Amino acid sequence: MLKEGDVACFPRGKDGAHQIINRTDSPLRVLMLSSMIPGEIIEYLDTGKVLAKDVEDEDIVFARPGPAVEYWEGEE
């Protein structure tokens, strides 16, 4: 539970915060900071999906992980 003026920092990944909930009837202001470094992997922990983005912020893969493939599979 945070109160007015509190500052909270969360680690990236599964150990970090993944949701902010306002359980009051009052408006809430939240400031989120980011490095904005392009190219990232996003895990949606509630659904098991993974999104990979390139340096142009275009989606590369958006899927649920399945069976692992070998490194050389499909290579000539």
Coordinates of all heavy atoms in Angstrom, one line a residue:
M1 N 0.8 -1.2 0.0 CA 0.0 0.0 0.0 C 0.9 1.2 0.0 O 1.8 1.4 0.8 CB -0.9 0.0 1.2 CG -1.8 -1.2 1.4 SD -3.2 -1.1 0.3 CE -4.2 0.1 1.1
L2 N 0.7 2.1 -1.0 CA 1.4 3.3 -1.1 C 0.6 4.5 -0.6 O -0.6 4.5 -0.8 CB 1.9 3.6 -2.5 CG 2.8 2.5 -3.1 CD1 3.0 2.8 -4.6 CD2 4.1 2.4 -2.3
K3 N 1.2 5.5 -0.1 CA 0.5 6.7 0.3 C 1.1 7.9 -0.5 O 2.1 7.8 -1.2 CB 0.6 7.0 1.7 CG 2.0 7.2 2.3 CD 1.9 7.3 3.8 CE 3.3 7.5 4.4 NZ 4.3 6.6 4.1
E4 N 0.4 9.1 -0.5 CA 0.9 10.2 -1.3 C 2.3 10.5 -1.0 O 2.8 10.6 0.1 CB 0.0 11.4 -0.9 CG 0.3 12.6 -1.7 CD -0.6 13.8 -1.5 OE1 -1.7 13.6 -0.9 OE2 -0.3 14.9 -1.8
G5 N 3.1 10.7 -2.1 CA 4.5 11.1 -2.0 C 5.4 9.9 -2.0 O 6.6 10.0 -2.1
D6 N 4.9 8.7 -1.8 CA 5.8 7.5 -1.8 C 6.4 7.3 -3.2 O 5.9 7.6 -4.2 CB 5.0 6.2 -1.5 CG 4.7 6.1 0.0 OD1 5.2 6.9 0.8 OD2 3.9 5.2 0.4
V7 N 7.6 6.7 -3.1 CA 8.4 6.3 -4.3 C 8.6 4.8 -4.2 O 9.0 4.3 -3.1 CB 9.7 7.0 -4.4 CG1 10.5 6.5 -5.6 CG2 9.5 8.5 -4.6
A8 N 8.3 4.1 -5.2 CA 8.6 2.6 -5.2 C 9.4 2.2 -6.5 O 9.1 2.7 -7.6 CB 7.3 1.9 -5.2
C9 N 10.4 1.4 -6.3 CA 11.2 0.9 -7.4 C 11.0 -0.6 -7.5 O 11.0 -1.3 -6.4 CB 12.6 1.2 -7.2 SG 12.9 3.0 -7.2
F10 N 10.9 -1.2 -8.7 CA 10.7 -2.6 -8.8 C 11.7 -3.2 -9.8 O 12.0 -2.5 -10.8 CB 9.2 -2.9 -9.3 CG 8.2 -2.3 -8.4 CD1 7.6 -1.1 -8.8 CD2 7.8 -3.0 -7.3 CE1 6.6 -0.6 -8.0 CE2 6.8 -2.4 -6.5 CZ 6.2 -1.2 -6.8
P11 N 12.2 -4.3 -9.6 CA 13.1 -4.9 -10.6 C 12.4 -5.4 -11.8 O 11.2 -5.6 -11.8 CB 13.7 -6.2 -9.8 CG 12.6 -6.5 -8.8 CD 12.0 -5.2 -8.4
R12 N 13.1 -5.5 -12.9 CA 12.5 -6.0 -14.2 C 12.3 -7.5 -14.0 O 12.9 -8.1 -13.1 CB 13.5 -5.8 -15.3 CG 13.7 -4.3 -15.6 CD 14.7 -4.2 -16.7 NE 14.2 -4.8 -17.9 CZ 14.8 -4.6 -19.1 NH1 15.8 -3.9 -19.3 NH2 14.3 -5.2 -20.2
G13 N 11.5 -8.0 -14.9 CA 11.3 -9.4 -14.9 C 10.2 -10.0 -14.0 O 9.4 -9.2 -13.5
K14 N 10.2 -11.3 -13.8 CA 9.2 -11.9 -13.0 C 9.1 -11.4 -11.5 O 8.1 -11.5 -10.9 CB 9.4 -13.4 -13.0 CG 9.2 -14.0 -14.4 CD 9.5 -15.5 -14.4 CE 9.3 -16.0 -15.8 NZ 9.5 -17.5 -15.9
D15 N 10.2 -10.9 -11.0 CA 10.2 -10.5 -9.6 C 9.7 -9.1 -9.4 O 9.5 -8.6 -8.3 CB 11.6 -10.6 -9.0 CG 12.1 -12.0 -8.9 OD1 11.3 -12.9 -8.8 OD2 13.3 -12.2 -9.0
G16 N 9.5 -8.4 -10.5 CA 9.1 -7.0 -10.4 C 7.5 -6.9 -10.3 O 6.8 -7.8 -10.3
A17 N 7.1 -5.6 -10.2 CA 5.6 -5.3 -10.2 C 5.1 -5.4 -11.6 O 5.7 -5.1 -12.6 CB 5.4 -3.9 -9.6
H18 N 3.9 -5.9 -11.7 CA 3.2 -6.1 -13.0 C 1.9 -5.5 -13.1 O 1.2 -5.6 -14.0 CB 3.1 -7.6 -13.3 CG 4.5 -8.2 -13.4 ND1 5.2 -8.1 -14.6 CD2 5.2 -8.9 -12.5 CE1 6.4 -8.7 -14.4 NE2 6.4 -9.2 -13.1
Q19 N 1.5 -4.8 -12.0 CA 0.2 -4.1 -12.0 C 0.1 -3.1 -10.9 O 0.7 -3.3 -9.8 CB -0.9 -5.2 -11.8 CG -2.3 -4.7 -12.0 CD -3.3 -5.8 -11.9 OE1 -3.3 -6.6 -10.9 NE2 -4.2 -6.0 -12.8
I20 N -0.6 -2.0 -11.2 CA -0.8 -1.0 -10.1 C -2.4 -0.9 -10.0 O -3.0 -0.7 -11.1 CB -0.2 0.4 -10.5 CG1 1.3 0.2 -10.5 CG2 -0.7 1.4 -9.5 CD1 2.0 1.4 -11.0
I21 N -2.9 -1.0 -8.8 CA -4.4 -0.9 -8.6 C -4.7 0.2 -7.7 O -4.1 0.3 -6.6 CB -4.9 -2.3 -8.0 CG1 -4.6 -3.4 -9.0 CG2 -6.4 -2.2 -7.8 CD1 -4.9 -4.8 -8.4
N22 N -5.6 1.0 -8.1 CA -6.1 2.1 -7.3 C -7.4 1.6 -6.6 O -8.4 1.4 -7.3 CB -6.4 3.3 -8.1 CG -7.0 4.5 -7.3 OD1 -7.0 4.4 -6.1 ND2 -7.3 5.6 -8.0
R23 N -7.3 1.3 -5.3 CA -8.5 0.8 -4.6 C -9.3 1.9 -3.9 O -10.0 1.6 -2.9 CB -8.0 -0.3 -3.6 CG -7.5 -1.5 -4.3 CD -7.3 -2.7 -3.3 NE -7.0 -3.9 -4.1 CZ -5.9 -4.5 -4.2 NH1 -4.8 -4.0 -3.5 NH2 -5.7 -5.6 -4.9
T24 N -9.2 3.1 -4.4 CA -9.9 4.2 -3.8 C -10.8 4.8 -4.9 O -10.8 4.4 -6.1 CB -9.0 5.3 -3.3 OG1 -8.4 6.0 -4.4 CG2 -7.9 4.8 -2.4
D25 N -11.6 5.8 -4.5 CA -12.5 6.5 -5.4 C -11.8 7.7 -6.0 O -12.3 8.5 -6.8 CB -13.8 6.8 -4.8 CG -14.7 5.6 -4.5 OD1 -14.5 4.6 -5.2 OD2 -15.4 5.6 -3.5
S26 N -10.6 8.0 -5.5 CA -9.9 9.2 -5.8 C -9.0 9.0 -7.1 O -8.5 7.9 -7.3 CB -9.0 9.7 -4.7 OG -9.7 9.9 -3.5
P27 N -8.8 10.0 -7.9 CA -7.8 9.9 -9.0 C -6.4 9.5 -8.5 O -6.1 9.9 -7.4 CB -7.8 11.2 -9.7 CG -9.0 12.0 -9.1 CD -9.3 11.4 -7.8
L28 N -5.7 8.8 -9.3 CA -4.3 8.4 -9.0 C -3.4 8.9 -10.1 O -3.7 8.8 -11.3 CB -4.3 6.9 -8.9 CG -3.0 6.2 -8.7 CD1 -2.5 6.4 -7.3 CD2 -3.1 4.7 -9.0
R29 N -2.2 9.4 -9.7 CA -1.2 9.8 -10.6 C 0.0 8.8 -10.4 O 0.4 8.6 -9.3 CB -0.7 11.2 -10.4 CG -1.7 12.2 -10.9 CD -1.1 13.6 -10.8 NE -2.1 14.6 -11.1 CZ -2.0 15.8 -10.9 NH1 -0.9 16.3 -10.3 NH2 -3.0 16.7 -11.1
V30 N 0.5 8.3 -11.5 CA 1.6 7.4 -11.5 C 2.7 7.9 -12.5 O 2.3 8.2 -13.7 CB 1.2 6.0 -11.8 CG1 2.4 5.0 -11.9 CG2 0.2 5.5 -10.8
L31 N 3.9 8.0 -12.1 CA 5.0 8.3 -13.0 C 5.8 7.1 -13.2 O 6.4 6.5 -12.2 CB 5.9 9.4 -12.4 CG 7.1 9.8 -13.2 CD1 6.8 10.3 -14.6 CD2 8.0 10.8 -12.4
M32 N 6.0 6.6 -14.4 CA 6.8 5.4 -14.7 C 7.9 5.9 -15.6 O 7.7 6.6 -16.6 CB 6.0 4.4 -15.4 CG 4.9 3.8 -14.6 SD 4.1 2.4 -15.4 CE 2.9 2.0 -14.2
L33 N 9.1 5.5 -15.2 CA 10.3 5.8 -16.0 C 10.9 4.6 -16.7 O 10.7 3.5 -16.3 CB 11.4 6.4 -15.0 CG 11.0 7.5 -14.1 CD1 12.1 7.9 -13.1 CD2 10.6 8.7 -15.0
S34 N 11.5 4.9 -17.9 CA 12.0 3.8 -18.7 C 13.3 4.3 -19.4 O 13.4 5.5 -19.6 CB 11.0 3.4 -19.7 OG 11.5 2.5 -20.7
S35 N 14.1 3.3 -19.7 CA 15.4 3.7 -20.4 C 15.0 3.9 -21.9 O 15.8 4.5 -22.6 CB 16.4 2.5 -20.3 OG 15.8 1.4 -20.9
M36 N 13.9 3.4 -22.3 CA 13.5 3.6 -23.7 C 14.5 3.0 -24.7 O 14.7 3.5 -25.8 CB 13.1 5.0 -24.1 CG 12.0 5.6 -23.2 SD 10.4 4.6 -23.4 CE 10.0 5.0 -25.1
I37 N 15.3 2.0 -24.3 CA 16.2 1.4 -25.2 C 15.4 0.4 -26.1 O 14.7 -0.5 -25.6 CB 17.3 0.6 -24.4 CG1 18.1 1.5 -23.5 CG2 18.2 -0.2 -25.3 CD1 19.0 0.8 -22.6
P38 N 15.5 0.6 -27.4 CA 14.7 -0.2 -28.3 C 15.2 -1.6 -28.4 O 16.3 -1.9 -28.1 CB 14.9 0.5 -29.7 CG 16.2 1.3 -29.6 CD 16.3 1.6 -28.1
G39 N 14.2 -2.5 -28.8 CA 14.5 -3.9 -28.8 C 14.3 -4.5 -27.4 O 15.0 -4.1 -26.5
E40 N 13.3 -5.3 -27.3 CA 13.0 -5.9 -25.9 C 12.2 -7.2 -26.0 O 11.6 -7.5 -27.0 CB 12.2 -4.9 -25.1 CG 10.9 -4.5 -25.6 CD 10.2 -3.4 -24.8 OE1 10.3 -3.4 -23.6 OE2 9.5 -2.6 -25.4
I41 N 12.2 -7.9 -24.9 CA 11.4 -9.1 -24.8 C 10.4 -8.8 -23.6 O 10.8 -8.4 -22.5 CB 12.3 -10.3 -24.4 CG1 13.4 -10.5 -25.4 CG2 11.4 -11.6 -24.2 CD1 12.9 -10.9 -26.8
I42 N 9.1 -9.0 -23.8 CA 8.1 -8.8 -22.8 C 7.4 -10.1 -22.5 O 6.9 -10.8 -23.4 CB 7.1 -7.8 -23.4 CG1 7.8 -6.5 -23.8 CG2 6.0 -7.5 -22.3 CD1 7.0 -5.6 -24.7
E43 N 7.4 -10.4 -21.2 CA 6.7 -11.6 -20.8 C 5.3 -11.2 -20.2 O 5.3 -10.4 -19.3 CB 7.4 -12.4 -19.7 CG 8.7 -13.0 -20.2 CD 9.4 -13.8 -19.0 OE1 9.0 -14.9 -18.8 OE2 10.2 -13.2 -18.4
Y44 N 4.3 -11.8 -20.7 CA 2.9 -11.6 -20.1 C 2.7 -12.8 -19.1 O 2.3 -13.8 -19.5 CB 1.9 -11.5 -21.2 CG 2.0 -10.3 -22.1 CD1 2.9 -10.4 -23.2 CD2 1.4 -9.1 -21.8 CE1 3.1 -9.3 -24.0 CE2 1.6 -8.0 -22.6 CZ 2.4 -8.1 -23.7 OH 2.6 -7.0 -24.5
L45 N 3.0 -12.5 -17.8 CA 3.0 -13.6 -16.9 C 1.6 -14.2 -16.6 O 1.5 -15.3 -16.2 CB 3.6 -13.1 -15.5 CG 5.1 -12.6 -15.7 CD1 5.6 -12.0 -14.4 CD2 6.0 -13.7 -16.1
D46 N 0.6 -13.4 -16.8 CA -0.8 -13.9 -16.5 C -1.3 -14.8 -17.6 O -2.1 -15.7 -17.4 CB -1.7 -12.7 -16.3 CG -1.7 -11.7 -17.5 OD1 -0.8 -11.7 -18.2 OD2 -2.7 -11.0 -17.6
T47 N -0.7 -14.7 -18.9 CA -1.2 -15.5 -20.0 C -0.1 -16.5 -20.5 O -0.5 -17.3 -21.3 CB -1.7 -14.6 -21.1 OG1 -0.6 -13.9 -21.6 CG2 -2.8 -13.7 -20.7
G48 N 1.1 -16.3 -20.1 CA 2.2 -17.1 -20.6 C 2.7 -16.8 -22.0 O 3.5 -17.5 -22.6
K49 N 2.2 -15.6 -22.5 CA 2.7 -15.2 -23.9 C 4.0 -14.4 -23.8 O 4.3 -13.9 -22.7 CB 1.6 -14.3 -24.5 CG 0.4 -15.1 -24.9 CD -0.6 -14.3 -25.6 CE -1.6 -13.7 -24.6 NZ -2.7 -13.0 -25.2
V50 N 4.7 -14.4 -24.9 CA 6.0 -13.6 -25.0 C 5.9 -12.8 -26.2 O 5.5 -13.2 -27.3 CB 7.2 -14.6 -25.0 CG1 8.5 -13.8 -25.2 CG2 7.3 -15.4 -23.8
L51 N 6.4 -11.5 -26.1 CA 6.4 -10.6 -27.3 C 7.9 -10.2 -27.4 O 8.5 -9.7 -26.5 CB 5.6 -9.4 -27.0 CG 5.7 -8.2 -28.0 CD1 5.3 -8.7 -29.4 CD2 4.8 -7.1 -27.6
A52 N 8.4 -10.4 -28.6 CA 9.8 -9.9 -29.0 C 9.6 -8.7 -29.9 O 8.9 -8.8 -30.9 CB 10.6 -11.0 -29.6
K53 N 10.3 -7.6 -29.6 CA 10.3 -6.4 -30.5 C 11.7 -6.1 -31.0 O 12.6 -6.3 -30.3 CB 9.7 -5.2 -29.7 CG 8.2 -5.3 -29.4 CD 7.8 -4.1 -28.7 CE 6.3 -3.9 -28.8 NZ 5.8 -3.5 -30.1
D54 N 11.8 -5.6 -32.2 CA 13.1 -5.2 -32.8 C 13.4 -3.8 -32.4 O 12.6 -3.1 -31.7 CB 13.2 -5.5 -34.3 CG 12.2 -4.6 -35.1 OD1 11.7 -3.6 -34.6 OD2 12.0 -4.9 -36.3
V55 N 14.5 -3.3 -32.9 CA 15.0 -1.9 -32.5 C 14.1 -0.8 -33.1 O 14.1 0.3 -32.7 CB 16.4 -1.7 -32.9 CG1 17.4 -2.6 -32.1 CG2 16.7 -1.8 -34.4
E56 N 13.2 -1.2 -34.1 CA 12.3 -0.3 -34.7 C 10.9 -0.3 -34.0 O 10.0 0.2 -34.4 CB 12.1 -0.5 -36.2 CG 13.4 -0.5 -37.0 CD 14.0 0.9 -37.0 OE1 13.2 1.9 -37.0 OE2 15.2 1.0 -37.1
D57 N 10.8 -1.1 -32.9 CA 9.6 -1.3 -32.1 C 8.6 -2.1 -32.9 O 7.4 -2.1 -32.6 CB 9.0 0.0 -31.6 CG 8.1 -0.2 -30.4 OD1 8.4 -1.1 -29.6 OD2 7.0 0.4 -30.3
E58 N 9.0 -2.9 -33.9 CA 8.1 -3.8 -34.6 C 8.1 -5.1 -33.9 O 9.1 -5.6 -33.4 CB 8.6 -3.9 -36.1 CG 8.6 -2.7 -36.9 CD 7.2 -2.2 -37.2 OE1 6.3 -3.0 -37.4 OE2 7.0 -0.9 -37.3
D59 N 6.9 -5.7 -33.9 CA 6.8 -7.1 -33.3 C 7.5 -8.1 -34.2 O 7.3 -8.1 -35.4 CB 5.3 -7.5 -33.2 CG 4.5 -6.6 -32.2 OD1 5.1 -5.7 -31.6 OD2 3.3 -6.9 -32.0
I60 N 8.3 -8.9 -33.6 CA 9.0 -10.0 -34.3 C 8.2 -11.3 -34.1 O 7.9 -12.0 -35.0 CB 10.4 -10.1 -33.8 CG1 11.2 -8.9 -34.1 CG2 11.1 -11.3 -34.5 CD1 12.6 -8.8 -33.5
V61 N 7.9 -11.6 -32.8 CA 7.2 -12.8 -32.4 C 6.3 -12.4 -31.3 O 6.7 -11.7 -30.3 CB 8.2 -13.9 -31.9 CG1 7.5 -15.1 -31.4 CG2 9.1 -14.3 -33.0
F62 N 5.1 -12.9 -31.3 CA 4.1 -12.8 -30.2 C 3.4 -14.2 -30.1 O 2.6 -14.5 -31.0 CB 3.1 -11.7 -30.5 CG 2.2 -11.4 -29.4 CD1 2.7 -11.3 -28.1 CD2 0.9 -11.1 -29.6 CE1 1.9 -11.0 -27.0 CE2 0.0 -10.8 -28.5 CZ 0.5 -10.7 -27.2
A63 N 3.8 -14.9 -29.1 CA 3.3 -16.3 -29.1 C 3.4 -16.9 -27.7 O 4.1 -16.2 -26.8 CB 4.1 -17.2 -30.0
R64 N 2.9 -18.0 -27.5 CA 3.1 -18.8 -26.2 C 4.2 -19.8 -26.5 O 4.2 -20.5 -27.6 CB 1.9 -19.6 -25.8 CG 0.8 -18.7 -25.1 CD -0.2 -19.6 -24.5 NE -1.2 -18.8 -23.8 CZ -2.2 -18.2 -24.4 NH1 -2.5 -18.5 -25.7 NH2 -3.0 -17.4 -23.8
P65 N 5.2 -19.8 -25.7 CA 6.3 -20.7 -26.0 C 5.8 -22.2 -26.0 O 4.9 -22.6 -25.3 CB 7.3 -20.5 -24.8 CG 6.9 -19.1 -24.3 CD 5.5 -19.0 -24.5
G66 N 6.4 -22.9 -26.9 CA 6.1 -24.3 -27.1 C 7.3 -25.2 -26.9 O 8.3 -24.7 -26.3
P67 N 7.4 -26.3 -27.5 CA 8.5 -27.2 -27.4 C 9.8 -26.5 -28.0 O 9.7 -25.8 -28.9 CB 8.2 -28.4 -28.3 CG 6.7 -28.4 -28.4 CD 6.3 -26.9 -28.3
A68 N 10.9 -26.7 -27.3 CA 12.2 -26.2 -27.8 C 12.6 -26.8 -29.1 O 12.3 -27.9 -29.4 CB 13.2 -26.4 -26.7
V69 N 13.3 -26.0 -29.9 CA 13.8 -26.5 -31.2 C 15.3 -26.5 -31.0 O 15.9 -25.7 -30.3 CB 13.4 -25.6 -32.4 CG1 11.9 -25.7 -32.5 CG2 13.8 -24.2 -32.2
E70 N 16.0 -27.3 -31.8 CA 17.4 -27.4 -31.8 C 18.0 -26.2 -32.6 O 17.3 -25.7 -33.5 CB 17.9 -28.7 -32.5 CG 17.6 -29.9 -31.7 CD 18.2 -30.0 -30.4 OE1 19.4 -29.6 -30.3 OE2 17.6 -30.4 -29.4
Y71 N 19.2 -25.7 -32.2 CA 19.8 -24.5 -32.8 C 19.8 -24.7 -34.4 O 19.6 -23.7 -35.1 CB 21.1 -24.3 -32.2 CG 21.8 -23.1 -32.8 CD1 21.5 -21.8 -32.3 CD2 22.7 -23.2 -33.9 CE1 22.2 -20.7 -32.9 CE2 23.4 -22.1 -34.4 CZ 23.1 -20.8 -33.9 OH 23.7 -19.7 -34.4
W72 N 20.2 -25.8 -34.9 CA 20.5 -26.0 -36.3 C 19.2 -26.5 -37.1 O 19.3 -26.7 -38.3 CB 21.6 -27.0 -36.5 CG 22.9 -26.4 -36.0 CD1 23.6 -26.8 -34.9 CD2 23.7 -25.3 -36.6 NE1 24.7 -26.1 -34.8 CE2 24.8 -25.2 -35.8 CE3 23.5 -24.5 -37.7 CZ2 25.8 -24.2 -36.1 CZ3 24.4 -23.6 -38.0 CH2 25.6 -23.4 -37.2
E73 N 18.1 -26.6 -36.4 CA 16.9 -27.1 -37.0 C 16.5 -26.2 -38.2 O 16.4 -25.0 -38.0 CB 15.7 -27.2 -36.1 CG 14.4 -27.7 -36.7 CD 13.3 -27.9 -35.7 OE1 13.6 -28.3 -34.5 OE2 12.2 -27.5 -36.0
G74 N 16.3 -26.8 -39.4 CA 15.9 -26.0 -40.5 C 17.0 -25.2 -41.2 O 16.8 -24.5 -42.2
E75 N 18.2 -25.3 -40.7 CA 19.4 -24.7 -41.4 C 20.0 -25.6 -42.4 O 19.9 -26.8 -42.3 CB 20.4 -24.3 -40.3 CG 19.9 -23.4 -39.2 CD 19.6 -22.0 -39.7 OE1 20.3 -21.5 -40.6 OE2 18.6 -21.4 -39.1
E76 N 20.6 -25.0 -43.4 CA 21.2 -25.8 -44.5 C 22.7 -26.0 -44.1 O 23.3 -25.2 -43.5 CB 21.1 -25.0 -45.8 CG 19.7 -24.9 -46.3 CD 19.1 -26.2 -46.7 OE1 19.8 -27.1 -47.2 OE2 17.9 -26.4 -46.5

